[in-house]
Amino acid sequence: MGGGYDDSDMLDLVYDAAVEPALWTSVIERLAELTGGGGGVMVDQNQENGLGAAIVVGADPSVLTPYFGYYASRNVLLNVADPRAFMRCWTPRILTDEDWLPKDELLRSEYYNDYLRPIDVHAVLMIRLAARGINAVNINIGRPKRSGRFAADDIARAERLHPHLIRAYHLGRKLDAARQVDASAVELLDRSPYGLIILNEDGAVHHANRIAEDLIVRGDGLTVVGGRLCSSSAEATRRLQALISAAASADPERRSGGSMPLRTPTRRLPLSVMVAPARSRRLAVFQGGPSVMVCVTDPEAGVSLPEQRLRELFDLTAAETRVALALLEGRGPREAAAKLGLSFYTVRCHLARIFDKTGTNRQAELVRLMMSAIGAWVE
């Protein structure tokens, strides 16, 4: 990640929001400041009917009532001819209203004249975070007419933060179920279905929940040596410690989260390890002020079918997984389309997203990766 941030606390704030959802309001406020916006909204919205939920900053929350009650269905920055096809090709990116449609088309619309203009929004910066079925989660920053369009520098600031915003959102989703039933930080961690480990600012283990502790005790990919979290191989330990060091760094330009697979000789599928800064008041119950959270997902826990394994390991949708398995069986994209009853262009769209999620570029490379992960289960 190149460049610095205008606010050295911004990354801390973003990752704090993963643990304390109320802090997303502050994240939106700071994003608006950093990009020259007048306010913003974080919205989880059904792309088919426009319904959803949102957090508003810089405007009266009552503006959501007419939006979801009427204007969502007339939102020219949302409406597409085929929402389900759109979501199948959806990718996390940043774009402005002018990337989406010509400015004069927006200015002629009912949505702009009767909804955006009265709340002093002339330009919109759309920061995509996640796709959940037919729903998309965005942070949208609005800018008044007097401030002009979003400049390249404004967009670049948002782009530097974008991967951290995505990672914090997904980490928050993983913690959400436990958060809803627990007020205690310790209980929140222990009730999570994921292995969660809290490290202090020096990288030493301060707390591990039951799942993480079990993995450590079994030596199943993770161990603790001299109070430090390690792996069973020197190379994996080096990569893990580098992620932890970056997440705990006092340098705001270096502090970041990251993820890695953790393979061992005894496991058919690697553990998925996510490392993130976690300087949160919610976790201040741990002595020494924890600074790093490690989240471990075990794709073998309760998983038996290749389709389920691919979805867990690479975060594929059901449709993407079916395409991936067809390719794994030796079919080309056109053969996969015929087998699945899809158009060739739909399969090509799915394949582009599969490449993006797996970090591959060619079908042969993708097949080798999948074979190494689940080859033993392919019939």
Side-chain angles (χ1 to χ4, degrees):
M1 180 185 65
Y5 297 101
D6 297 76
D7 187 338
S8 62
D9 295 328
M10 184 61 183
L11 273 182
D12 288 341
L13 180 61
V14 168
Y15 285 109
D16 283 353
V19 181
E20 297 185 59
L23 290 177
W24 280 109
T25 299
S26 299
V27 170
I28 298 166
E29 183 178 23
R30 288 293 299 126
L31 273 173
E33 292 175 4
L34 289 171
T35 58
V41 58
M42 183 175 185
V43 58
D44 183 345
Q45 189 166 15
N46 184 299
Q47 302 297 289
E48 201 163 44
N49 59 28
L51 300 179
I55 303 168
V56 177
V57 173
D60 191 319
S62 65
V63 301
L64 294 178
T65 301
Y67 177 76
F68 287 120
Y70 179 80
Y71 290 105
S73 62
R74 291 157 176 80
N75 183 352
V76 292
L77 301 177
L78 168 68
N79 293 344
V80 291
D82 187 343
R84 292 188 178 273
F86 169 72
M87 289 306 297
R88 286 195 295 269
C89 297
W90 185 99
T91 56
R93 53 183 295 211
I94 295 176
L95 63 163
T96 69
D97 60 274
E98 293 178 86
D99 295 322
W100 185 260
L101 81 170
K103 193 71 172 185
D104 60 349
E105 188 175 331
L106 173 64
L107 299 183
R108 289 195 305 268
S109 69
E110 176 188 10
Y111 178 65
Y112 175 80
N113 286 285
D114 293 351
Y115 186 74
L116 291 182
R117 189 166 65 175
I119 60 174
D120 202 18
V121 172
H122 183 76
V124 181
L125 183 68
M126 296 170 277
I127 304 170
R128 294 179 178 177
L129 299 186
R132 300 191 304 105
I134 195 65
N135 278 42
V137 181
N138 283 19
I139 292 178
N140 297 331
I141 303 299
R143 197 167 193 174
K145 186 174 183 178
R146 62 183 176 275
S147 299
R149 65 181 58 186
F150 286 95
D153 287 349
D154 302 321
I155 297 170
R157 292 186 188 99
E159 287 174 340
R160 291 197 296 271
L161 283 168
H162 195 206
H164 304 286
L165 292 165
I166 293 172
R167 191 173 291 118
Y169 173 79
H170 285 294
L171 182 58
R173 290 276 297 172
K174 288 187 174 185
L175 293 173
D176 189 56
R179 183 187 293 117
Q180 291 178 12
V181 297
D182 271 312
S184 163
V186 176
E187 290 183 15
L188 183 151
L189 296 173
D190 282 342
R191 287 176 183 263
S192 171
Y194 304 92
L196 296 173
I197 304 164
I198 303 299
L199 312 178
N200 68 15
E201 57 190 6
D202 297 321
V205 175
H206 238 119
H207 180 82
N209 71 353
R210 295 186 185 99
I211 292 176
E213 189 175 56
D214 184 52
L215 286 170
I216 292 169
V217 169
R218 296 199 320 258
D220 195 7
L222 290 172
T223 60
V224 175
V225 178
R228 298 291 193 274
L229 193 63
C230 300
S231 179
S232 52
S233 78
E235 175 60 21
T237 295
R238 184 193 65 76
R239 290 184 61 194
L240 179 61
Q241 290 293 334
L243 289 175
I244 292 170
S245 176
S249 175
D251 182 351
E253 293 191 15
R254 183 169 177 266
R255 186 185 305 121
S256 64
S259 58
M260 62 177 286
L262 199 55
R263 297 179 172 84
T264 70
T266 60
R267 298 185 62 84
R268 288 180 173 132
L269 283 179
L271 296 171
S272 174
V273 179
M274 179 188 295
V275 180
R279 302 178 194 274
S280 172
R281 293 185 300 276
R282 181 71 174 270
L283 297 175
V285 64
F286 300 107
Q287 182 182 3
S291 63
V292 178
M293 175 178 286
V294 179
C295 179
V296 185
T297 303
D298 183 357
E300 291 186 1
V303 177
S304 59
L305 299 176
E307 183 172 348
Q308 291 172 305
R309 291 184 183 276
L310 284 176
R311 292 186 69 177
E312 288 279 344
L313 191 59
F314 300 115
D315 195 28
L316 303 180
T317 66
E320 291 163 358
T321 306
R322 288 192 290 271
V323 170
L325 286 174
L327 300 177
L328 190 57
E329 291 168 358
R331 292 177 171 83
R334 290 192 183 277
E335 294 172 303
K339 177 191 177 184
L340 299 173
L342 301 172
S343 76
F344 168 70
Y345 298 99
T346 298
V347 168
R348 191 167 65 176
C349 179
H350 286 319
L351 186 56
R353 294 190 63 191
I354 293 167
F355 283 152
D356 183 60
K357 291 181 178 181
T358 58
T360 56
N361 296 300
R362 296 180 294 110
Q363 183 174 334
E365 185 182 359
L366 172 65
V367 169
R368 283 197 299 272
L369 176 65
M370 291 190 295
M371 284 294 292
S372 68
I374 66 165
W377 286 275
V378 177
E379 298 176 356

